[in-house]
Every structure is written in structure tokens, then in C-alpha cells.
Amino acid sequence: MPNSGEFAIIERYFSRRSARPDVLLGVGDDAAALRVPADQVLVAAIDTIVAGTHFPDGTPPADIGHRALAVNLSDLAAMGAQPAWALLSLSLPVASGEWLEQFAAGFYAIADRYQVSLVGGDTVHGPLVVTVQILGFADPAQLLTRSGARPGDYIYVTGVPGEAAGGLAVIQRNLQGSDGDYLRQRFLRPEPRVAAGIAARKLAHAAMDVSDGLLGDLTKLCSASGCRARVELESLPQSRSMHALFDDAECERLALAGGDDYELLFTVSPELAARFEADVGSTVRCTRIGTIVGAATRSDVGVDCYRHGVRVSVDALSSYDHFAPPS
Ligand code: ADP
Ligand code: MG
């Protein structure tokens, strides 16, 4: 991007003054200066979304702006962290004022809702790629991790996994109607479960966000924790809109292996389950879907699915892998 163009874009679209008192220096200097509260640790995550890979070409720019920040907020939510600041690296094929206006509106709308300040970034010419780095903080003693699950824990998931993948199918198949509209929004406008993560941090043993499919991500949590998970398929949260558009098998496949949910998985000891359900359940729908069980050996980690007590093979379902060979 020519220098003057880059400067004008930053000045015009990304230089809103921060309302946060912990921003000593934001956009405009060579780097931002930020104050982390005493006794807290900095929690950082970064995610890139690429046009044509993470969102369909032609996605409204406001939705891209929302998504770029939402997927990062979801990572902080999974840690039980309080989000605070974001950096935005924008690669643009053309500098369209209309596009930038809408993108910035989508970005700032969700940033404002979560009291996140945009404190810096980079703007370059290239294919449409949006990278956001999110920064926040947490009490180090209360960080939620993937590795804390223990045998006997109940497994919970927020929201309704599968709706986002259903929404992507709605876009790809150009399905019309109110159920399609609802699901399309679930894909385009994921709502990070920040309040749920914060409510869970004194109660859950482990947490993780679901971005690549429920079973695949639960397998990662099991690997980190050295245990197995037992999922009761009849307990999965159901979506009226999903059942209106897809048959039962497709609904289940999308719930288990569809990506882009940005819901949270938690494991919780049975003694704290009632409190967890009350506290976390007051922030978002939260469903118990199974139990953590012990692993016989270090390599015996993974997920088993049961339907009404009968083991079901789900080998055919695998999560989305960017580098998987074509099947
Ligand atoms: P430098 O050349 O020193 O890296 P830049 O000219 O790239 O600085 O950026 C100038 C200022 O604008 C910096 O504070 C940078 O963090 C900020 N900035 C650049 N692009 C963006 C963007 N897309 N969103 C927010 N801040 C940005
Ligand atoms: Mg730069």
C-alpha cells in the first residue's frame, strides 16, 4: 500500500481514541503501551482469517470485521481471561472507502460491546487477509486450560454446536427462509462466550473453545489432560432451525464435526456442577453432554460416543484440518 494511502486509511478508519485508562499509548506511535493490572498476567492470542478459506468471498465487510475479533475473543474466553486490547493487521487488495467503513463498523461494534480497545496494527496491500491479536489479563491462579480435566468430570458445551456449519451450508447452497437466515447469522456473527469463561473460572477444571469441530477439539482437550471423554449423543443440544433444514444424520454430523462454532467446552467436577450450571448457565445456554473417564495408558486418550448407552463408531467424523490431504 502506498505510504500516503496507508496513513490516510489508518487515520480515517482505525484511529478512534481509546476509552480505556490502561491504554497509555494506542494507535499512532511505533508501538502501544498498555498497563496490565497488578497481580494479573497478560493473556495473548492471535488468529488470521483469509478470504475464501475462513469466510466465503463476498462476505459483507461488517461481518468480516466482527468475525476477525470474535474468533480471538473466543480464545480468551476459553482461558477465563478478561479481554482488553487488540491489534489489527489488514492486508487489502483494494482500498475501498465503503468496504473499510463497513469493516471498521463491524469491528468496533463488537470491540465496544466487550470493552476492547484497538491499540495498533499494520495495513498492507495484498490478498484479503485479516489478522487480529487479542490481549487481555487474568489471575494466574484462575486460568482455565485444556489440561485440567479429571476422570469423573462432567463435560459441558455452550450454545448449539453445528449451527455455524449449518449456516455455512445455507450460504453455499443459497437456502432461503427464516431458519436459513438464523443459521447464516450463527456462522457470520459468532458470539464469543466471554462471560461464560469468566463465570467458569472458579468452577471448571478445564476449558477450550470449539472452532474445528466438537469431537476433534474435545480430543485435543483429552490429549492435553491425559484422559478419555464419553459423549452421550442423545444429550447434544438440538436446534430447531437445523432440523428444519437438514436431516437428523446431517444435524448430528455438523454438531460433532462442523467447524466455526466458537462455543466453549468445560469439564467440571460433579460436586460443583449445580453451581456451574447456575452461574455459567445464566450467561448462555449450557448443556451437559458427557463425562471424562480415565485413560488406561498415556496413548489411550480420545473420545467415545454412545447413543442411549450403546457405543457408536464415529471414526468417519474428523475435524477440519487446514493441512489435511484431500480425501
Ligand atoms: P510502523 O511503520 O512504525 O510500523 P505504521 O505506519 O505501520 O507504523 O502504523 C502507524 C500506526 O498505526 C501504528 O501505531 C500502528 O500500530 C497503527 N496501525 C497501522 N495499521 C493499523 C490498523 N489496521 N489498525 C489499527 N492500527 C493500525
Ligand atoms: Mg507498519
mmCIF file of all heavy atoms in Angstrom, residues 7 9-18 23-34 86-88 108 117-123:
data_model
loop_
_atom_site.group_PDB
_atom_site.id
_atom_site.type_symbol
_atom_site.label_atom_id
_atom_site.label_comp_id
_atom_site.label_asym_id
_atom_site.label_seq_id
_atom_site.Cartn_x
_atom_site.Cartn_y
_atom_site.Cartn_z
ATOM 1 N N PHE A 7 -1.439 5.706 5.442
ATOM 2 C CA PHE A 7 -1.603 6.665 6.529
ATOM 3 C C PHE A 7 -3.042 7.169 6.594
ATOM 4 O O PHE A 7 -3.652 7.252 7.663
ATOM 5 C CB PHE A 7 -0.621 7.834 6.339
ATOM 6 C CG PHE A 7 -0.709 8.842 7.436
ATOM 7 C CD1 PHE A 7 -0.139 8.593 8.675
ATOM 8 C CD2 PHE A 7 -1.393 10.044 7.241
ATOM 9 C CE1 PHE A 7 -0.240 9.516 9.697
ATOM 10 C CE2 PHE A 7 -1.498 10.971 8.267
ATOM 11 C CZ PHE A 7 -0.919 10.713 9.491
ATOM 12 N N ILE A 9 -5.740 5.712 5.533
ATOM 13 C CA ILE A 9 -6.666 4.656 5.979
ATOM 14 C C ILE A 9 -6.635 4.524 7.498
ATOM 15 O O ILE A 9 -7.673 4.493 8.160
ATOM 16 C CB ILE A 9 -6.290 3.308 5.309
ATOM 17 C CG1 ILE A 9 -6.656 3.340 3.833
ATOM 18 C CG2 ILE A 9 -7.001 2.145 6.005
ATOM 19 C CD1 ILE A 9 -6.117 2.163 3.040
ATOM 20 N N ILE A 10 -5.420 4.477 8.039
ATOM 21 C CA ILE A 10 -5.295 4.332 9.495
ATOM 22 C C ILE A 10 -5.966 5.511 10.187
ATOM 23 O O ILE A 10 -6.767 5.354 11.113
ATOM 24 C CB ILE A 10 -3.805 4.245 9.900
ATOM 25 C CG1 ILE A 10 -3.156 3.007 9.274
ATOM 26 C CG2 ILE A 10 -3.655 4.206 11.419
ATOM 27 C CD1 ILE A 10 -1.635 3.037 9.302
ATOM 28 N N GLU A 11 -5.620 6.706 9.699
ATOM 29 C CA GLU A 11 -6.145 7.945 10.276
ATOM 30 C C GLU A 11 -7.673 7.976 10.238
ATOM 31 O O GLU A 11 -8.336 8.304 11.212
ATOM 32 C CB GLU A 11 -5.568 9.115 9.448
ATOM 33 C CG GLU A 11 -5.989 10.474 9.873
ATOM 34 C CD GLU A 11 -5.152 10.986 11.037
ATOM 35 O OE1 GLU A 11 -4.242 10.255 11.468
ATOM 36 O OE2 GLU A 11 -5.436 12.105 11.493
ATOM 37 N N ARG A 12 -8.207 7.574 9.099
ATOM 38 C CA ARG A 12 -9.640 7.740 8.895
ATOM 39 C C ARG A 12 -10.461 6.641 9.574
ATOM 40 O O ARG A 12 -11.534 6.900 10.112
ATOM 41 C CB ARG A 12 -9.906 7.739 7.389
ATOM 42 C CG ARG A 12 -11.356 7.754 7.034
ATOM 43 C CD ARG A 12 -11.652 8.706 5.918
ATOM 44 N NE ARG A 12 -13.096 8.829 5.792
ATOM 45 C CZ ARG A 12 -13.700 9.139 4.674
ATOM 46 N NH1 ARG A 12 -12.979 9.401 3.616
ATOM 47 N NH2 ARG A 12 -15.009 9.224 4.639
ATOM 48 N N TYR A 13 -9.980 5.406 9.522
ATOM 49 C CA TYR A 13 -10.838 4.297 9.950
ATOM 50 C C TYR A 13 -10.414 3.620 11.252
ATOM 51 O O TYR A 13 -11.212 2.937 11.872
ATOM 52 C CB TYR A 13 -10.905 3.228 8.838
ATOM 53 C CG TYR A 13 -11.456 3.773 7.557
ATOM 54 C CD1 TYR A 13 -10.620 4.052 6.477
ATOM 55 C CD2 TYR A 13 -12.816 4.053 7.446
ATOM 56 C CE1 TYR A 13 -11.129 4.590 5.308
ATOM 57 C CE2 TYR A 13 -13.332 4.591 6.278
ATOM 58 C CZ TYR A 13 -12.479 4.855 5.203
ATOM 59 O OH TYR A 13 -12.992 5.389 4.065
ATOM 60 N N PHE A 14 -9.161 3.750 11.638
ATOM 61 C CA PHE A 14 -8.694 2.925 12.765
ATOM 62 C C PHE A 14 -8.030 3.732 13.876
ATOM 63 O O PHE A 14 -7.240 3.186 14.640
ATOM 64 C CB PHE A 14 -7.737 1.836 12.242
ATOM 65 C CG PHE A 14 -8.391 0.933 11.234
ATOM 66 C CD1 PHE A 14 -7.993 0.950 9.901
ATOM 67 C CD2 PHE A 14 -9.429 0.096 11.613
ATOM 68 C CE1 PHE A 14 -8.612 0.132 8.968
ATOM 69 C CE2 PHE A 14 -10.060 -0.723 10.682
ATOM 70 C CZ PHE A 14 -9.648 -0.701 9.356
ATOM 71 N N SER A 15 -8.368 4.998 13.961
ATOM 72 C CA SER A 15 -7.690 5.837 14.955
ATOM 73 C C SER A 15 -8.619 6.350 16.049
ATOM 74 O O SER A 15 -8.352 7.377 16.659
ATOM 75 C CB SER A 15 -7.018 7.032 14.264
ATOM 76 O OG SER A 15 -5.968 6.568 13.458
ATOM 77 N N ARG A 16 -9.684 5.627 16.303
ATOM 78 C CA ARG A 16 -10.570 6.077 17.370
ATOM 79 C C ARG A 16 -9.832 6.082 18.702
ATOM 80 O O ARG A 16 -9.124 5.135 19.024
ATOM 81 C CB ARG A 16 -11.781 5.138 17.452
ATOM 82 C CG ARG A 16 -12.958 5.744 16.740
ATOM 83 C CD ARG A 16 -14.118 4.825 16.588
ATOM 84 N NE ARG A 16 -14.530 4.161 17.813
ATOM 85 C CZ ARG A 16 -15.597 3.373 17.872
ATOM 86 N NH1 ARG A 16 -16.316 3.153 16.791
ATOM 87 N NH2 ARG A 16 -15.932 2.783 19.003
ATOM 88 N N ARG A 17 -10.022 7.134 19.478
ATOM 89 C CA ARG A 17 -9.336 7.208 20.770
ATOM 90 C C ARG A 17 -9.866 6.137 21.707
ATOM 91 O O ARG A 17 -11.048 5.840 21.727
ATOM 92 C CB ARG A 17 -9.563 8.582 21.406
ATOM 93 C CG ARG A 17 -8.581 9.627 20.959
ATOM 94 C CD ARG A 17 -8.739 10.889 21.801
ATOM 95 N NE ARG A 17 -8.361 10.670 23.198
ATOM 96 C CZ ARG A 17 -7.095 10.658 23.624
ATOM 97 N NH1 ARG A 17 -6.104 10.847 22.770
ATOM 98 N NH2 ARG A 17 -6.829 10.451 24.894
ATOM 99 N N SER A 18 -8.974 5.583 22.482
ATOM 100 C CA SER A 18 -9.381 4.546 23.414
ATOM 101 C C SER A 18 -10.057 5.134 24.629
ATOM 102 O O SER A 18 -9.657 6.168 25.158
ATOM 103 C CB SER A 18 -8.154 3.763 23.867
ATOM 104 O OG SER A 18 -8.523 2.946 24.956
ATOM 105 N N VAL A 23 -4.738 2.184 28.562
ATOM 106 C CA VAL A 23 -4.014 2.405 27.303
ATOM 107 C C VAL A 23 -3.188 3.679 27.439
ATOM 108 O O VAL A 23 -3.723 4.788 27.378
ATOM 109 C CB VAL A 23 -4.975 2.503 26.103
ATOM 110 C CG1 VAL A 23 -4.205 2.788 24.818
ATOM 111 C CG2 VAL A 23 -5.794 1.223 25.964
ATOM 112 N N LEU A 24 -1.875 3.522 27.657
ATOM 113 C CA LEU A 24 -1.010 4.694 27.791
ATOM 114 C C LEU A 24 -0.733 5.293 26.420
ATOM 115 O O LEU A 24 -0.735 6.510 26.251
ATOM 116 C CB LEU A 24 0.303 4.300 28.486
ATOM 117 C CG LEU A 24 0.251 4.196 30.011
ATOM 118 C CD1 LEU A 24 -0.772 3.169 30.479
ATOM 119 C CD2 LEU A 24 1.624 3.810 30.552
ATOM 120 N N LEU A 25 -0.470 4.417 25.445
ATOM 121 C CA LEU A 25 -0.280 4.828 24.057
ATOM 122 C C LEU A 25 -1.008 3.827 23.171
ATOM 123 O O LEU A 25 -0.839 2.616 23.338
ATOM 124 C CB LEU A 25 1.204 4.816 23.681
ATOM 125 C CG LEU A 25 2.082 5.947 24.227
ATOM 126 C CD1 LEU A 25 3.541 5.643 23.897
ATOM 127 C CD2 LEU A 25 1.653 7.289 23.617
ATOM 128 N N GLY A 26 -1.813 4.339 22.244
ATOM 129 C CA GLY A 26 -2.531 3.460 21.332
ATOM 130 C C GLY A 26 -2.059 3.662 19.904
ATOM 131 O O GLY A 26 -0.861 3.831 19.648
ATOM 132 N N VAL A 27 -3.003 3.670 18.960
ATOM 133 C CA VAL A 27 -2.665 3.846 17.551
ATOM 134 C C VAL A 27 -1.960 5.184 17.351
ATOM 135 O O VAL A 27 -2.394 6.204 17.889
ATOM 136 C CB VAL A 27 -3.949 3.790 16.689
ATOM 137 C CG1 VAL A 27 -3.652 4.168 15.242
ATOM 138 C CG2 VAL A 27 -4.582 2.409 16.770
ATOM 139 N N GLY A 28 -0.874 5.189 16.562
ATOM 140 C CA GLY A 28 -0.215 6.441 16.195
ATOM 141 C C GLY A 28 1.259 6.466 16.503
ATOM 142 O O GLY A 28 2.015 7.177 15.839
ATOM 143 N N ASP A 29 1.699 5.730 17.490
ATOM 144 C CA ASP A 29 3.137 5.683 17.751
ATOM 145 C C ASP A 29 3.694 4.391 17.173
ATOM 146 O O ASP A 29 3.004 3.635 16.509
ATOM 147 C CB ASP A 29 3.403 5.806 19.258
ATOM 148 C CG ASP A 29 4.631 6.675 19.520
ATOM 149 O OD1 ASP A 29 5.683 6.367 18.925
ATOM 150 O OD2 ASP A 29 4.524 7.642 20.294
ATOM 151 N N ASP A 30 4.976 4.135 17.413
ATOM 152 C CA ASP A 30 5.576 2.926 16.839
ATOM 153 C C ASP A 30 5.077 1.660 17.522
ATOM 154 O O ASP A 30 5.117 0.575 16.940
ATOM 155 C CB ASP A 30 7.101 3.008 16.916
ATOM 156 C CG ASP A 30 7.630 4.022 15.926
ATOM 157 O OD1 ASP A 30 7.268 3.909 14.739
ATOM 158 O OD2 ASP A 30 8.364 4.935 16.324
ATOM 159 N N ALA A 31 4.632 1.790 18.737
ATOM 160 C CA ALA A 31 4.084 0.632 19.450
ATOM 161 C C ALA A 31 3.119 1.140 20.509
ATOM 162 O O ALA A 31 3.155 2.314 20.900
ATOM 163 C CB ALA A 31 5.208 -0.172 20.105
ATOM 164 N N ALA A 32 2.252 0.278 20.956
ATOM 165 C CA ALA A 32 1.307 0.638 22.010
ATOM 166 C C ALA A 32 1.954 0.379 23.370
ATOM 167 O O ALA A 32 2.820 -0.487 23.505
ATOM 168 C CB ALA A 32 0.030 -0.189 21.874
ATOM 169 N N ALA A 33 1.514 1.128 24.371
ATOM 170 C CA ALA A 33 1.964 0.901 25.744
ATOM 171 C C ALA A 33 0.726 0.672 26.607
ATOM 172 O O ALA A 33 -0.202 1.491 26.601
ATOM 173 C CB ALA A 33 2.759 2.104 26.250
ATOM 174 N N LEU A 34 0.699 -0.446 27.290
ATOM 175 C CA LEU A 34 -0.515 -0.915 27.963
ATOM 176 C C LEU A 34 -0.195 -1.325 29.383
ATOM 177 O O LEU A 34 0.862 -1.909 29.636
ATOM 178 C CB LEU A 34 -1.072 -2.130 27.196
ATOM 179 C CG LEU A 34 -1.195 -1.915 25.688
ATOM 180 C CD1 LEU A 34 -1.335 -3.235 24.947
ATOM 181 C CD2 LEU A 34 -2.376 -0.996 25.395
ATOM 182 N N ALA A 86 -6.636 -4.964 21.393
ATOM 183 C CA ALA A 86 -6.472 -5.724 20.156
ATOM 184 C C ALA A 86 -5.548 -4.985 19.200
ATOM 185 O O ALA A 86 -5.484 -3.749 19.200
ATOM 186 C CB ALA A 86 -7.822 -5.960 19.489
ATOM 187 N N LEU A 87 -4.802 -5.751 18.408
ATOM 188 C CA LEU A 87 -4.026 -5.220 17.285
ATOM 189 C C LEU A 87 -4.575 -5.841 16.014
ATOM 190 O O LEU A 87 -4.983 -7.003 16.011
ATOM 191 C CB LEU A 87 -2.542 -5.565 17.447
ATOM 192 C CG LEU A 87 -1.903 -4.894 18.662
ATOM 193 C CD1 LEU A 87 -1.250 -5.917 19.565
ATOM 194 C CD2 LEU A 87 -0.888 -3.862 18.236
ATOM 195 N N LEU A 88 -4.601 -5.051 14.952
ATOM 196 C CA LEU A 88 -5.262 -5.471 13.714
ATOM 197 C C LEU A 88 -4.300 -5.345 12.542
ATOM 198 O O LEU A 88 -3.840 -4.249 12.227
ATOM 199 C CB LEU A 88 -6.482 -4.557 13.470
ATOM 200 C CG LEU A 88 -7.144 -4.596 12.104
ATOM 201 C CD1 LEU A 88 -7.774 -5.963 11.843
ATOM 202 C CD2 LEU A 88 -8.203 -3.492 12.007
ATOM 203 N N TYR A 108 -15.525 -2.350 15.324
ATOM 204 C CA TYR A 108 -15.686 -1.513 16.525
ATOM 205 C C TYR A 108 -16.961 -1.869 17.298
ATOM 206 O O TYR A 108 -17.026 -1.703 18.517
ATOM 207 C CB TYR A 108 -15.692 -0.032 16.151
ATOM 208 C CG TYR A 108 -14.320 0.575 15.984
ATOM 209 C CD1 TYR A 108 -13.910 1.096 14.763
ATOM 210 C CD2 TYR A 108 -13.429 0.629 17.059
ATOM 211 C CE1 TYR A 108 -12.641 1.666 14.611
ATOM 212 C CE2 TYR A 108 -12.164 1.196 16.916
ATOM 213 C CZ TYR A 108 -11.777 1.711 15.695
ATOM 214 O OH TYR A 108 -10.532 2.271 15.553
ATOM 215 N N SER A 117 -10.116 -2.173 23.305
ATOM 216 C CA SER A 117 -9.580 -1.043 22.544
ATOM 217 C C SER A 117 -8.645 -1.526 21.445
ATOM 218 O O SER A 117 -7.772 -2.354 21.696
ATOM 219 C CB SER A 117 -8.794 -0.114 23.467
ATOM 220 O OG SER A 117 -9.674 0.715 24.169
ATOM 221 N N LEU A 118 -8.811 -0.962 20.256
ATOM 222 C CA LEU A 118 -7.863 -1.210 19.170
ATOM 223 C C LEU A 118 -6.668 -0.291 19.405
ATOM 224 O O LEU A 118 -6.812 0.933 19.401
ATOM 225 C CB LEU A 118 -8.521 -0.904 17.824
ATOM 226 C CG LEU A 118 -7.639 -1.098 16.583
ATOM 227 C CD1 LEU A 118 -7.207 -2.552 16.444
ATOM 228 C CD2 LEU A 118 -8.382 -0.651 15.331
ATOM 229 N N VAL A 119 -5.498 -0.884 19.633
ATOM 230 C CA VAL A 119 -4.342 -0.079 20.052
ATOM 231 C C VAL A 119 -3.201 -0.087 19.035
ATOM 232 O O VAL A 119 -2.152 0.511 19.283
ATOM 233 C CB VAL A 119 -3.808 -0.544 21.431
ATOM 234 C CG1 VAL A 119 -4.862 -0.309 22.510
ATOM 235 C CG2 VAL A 119 -3.375 -2.009 21.392
ATOM 236 N N GLY A 120 -3.396 -0.759 17.894
ATOM 237 C CA GLY A 120 -2.335 -0.746 16.901
ATOM 238 C C GLY A 120 -2.602 -1.757 15.816
ATOM 239 O O GLY A 120 -3.630 -2.432 15.824
ATOM 240 N N GLY A 121 -1.659 -1.828 14.874
ATOM 241 C CA GLY A 121 -1.840 -2.792 13.800
ATOM 242 C C GLY A 121 -0.899 -2.519 12.657
ATOM 243 O O GLY A 121 0.133 -1.862 12.814
ATOM 244 N N ASP A 122 -1.280 -3.022 11.507
ATOM 245 C CA ASP A 122 -0.497 -2.821 10.302
ATOM 246 C C ASP A 122 -1.460 -2.851 9.129
ATOM 247 O O ASP A 122 -2.490 -3.531 9.185
ATOM 248 C CB ASP A 122 0.565 -3.929 10.188
ATOM 249 C CG ASP A 122 1.715 -3.525 9.291
ATOM 250 O OD1 ASP A 122 1.827 -2.333 8.955
ATOM 251 O OD2 ASP A 122 2.499 -4.413 8.917
ATOM 252 N N THR A 123 -1.153 -2.104 8.092
ATOM 253 C CA THR A 123 -2.030 -2.037 6.929
ATOM 254 C C THR A 123 -1.178 -2.202 5.688
ATOM 255 O O THR A 123 -0.259 -1.407 5.474
ATOM 256 C CB THR A 123 -2.783 -0.685 6.897
ATOM 257 O OG1 THR A 123 -3.434 -0.498 8.169
ATOM 258 C CG2 THR A 123 -3.814 -0.652 5.803
#
